[in-house]
Amino acid sequence: QVQLVESGGGLVQAGGSLRLSCAASGSIFSINAMGWYRQAPGKQRELVAHITSTSDTNYADSVKGRFTISRDNAKKTVSLQMNSLKTEDTAVYYCNADITGGILRRKSVYWGRGTQVTVSS
């Protein structure tokens, strides 16, 4: 039993900042790669940022230089610091993680339920 729960979403003005967090809980043996995805109305879900178990990162071109992904292995969390927000960043943001867990220690991909980010201007 593994769960991911996002927090930190909300309404902000263009140019502002917001920090999203995602906490993993349950029967976890290890957490491998983690990432953030987003889905805007009428669009496909897209990768925003990704971080490996060794903290190598990559970002979508649209957020590069504005967003920063980080992880805290002790707390089993991944965060997304979003600066210089634009109206185009409005979307539901989803946490994603590749986790080995459960009684059988199976490697599976898990998703959070999402948190709404709305940027106004």
Side-chain angles (χ1 to χ4, degrees):
Q1 186 178 3
V2 175
Q3 291 181 304
L4 300 178
V5 180
E6 303 99 335
S7 63
L11 175 64
V12 298
Q13 292 186 349
S17 298
L18 201 63
R19 175 180 282 267
L20 305 182
S21 295
C22 173
S25 63
S27 182
I28 299 172
F29 179 75
S30 64
I31 301 177
N32 304 303
M34 306 182 78
W36 287 94
Y37 289 72
R38 68 185 181 188
Q39 187 165 25
K43 295 185 177 180
Q44 293 183 317
R45 187 173 299 186
E46 65 175 348
L47 175 68
V48 177
H50 176 269
I51 185 167
T52 69
S53 61
T54 55
S55 296
D56 291 324
T57 62
N58 57 64
Y59 300 87
D61 289 340
S62 60
V63 307
K64 194 171 298 182
R66 299 188 296 120
F67 291 10
T68 302
I69 188 171
S70 61
R71 64 190 290 165
D72 187 326
N73 292 328
K75 296 181 179 179
K76 299 177 182 176
T77 60
V78 61
S79 298
L80 184 69
Q81 178 65 47
M82 304 184 292
N83 298 326
S84 302
L85 283 163
K86 305 174 180 179
T87 56
E88 305 95 277
D89 296 319
T90 295
V92 177
Y93 284 70
Y94 297 90
C95 178
N96 169 275
D98 182 5
I99 295 175
T100 299
I103 297 175
L104 299 179
R105 294 184 176 178
R106 305 186 76 177
K107 188 172 183 290
S108 301
V109 175
Y110 295 87
W111 291 88
R113 296 192 67 182
T115 185
Q116 177 70 49
V117 172
T118 302
V119 184
S120 64
S121 184

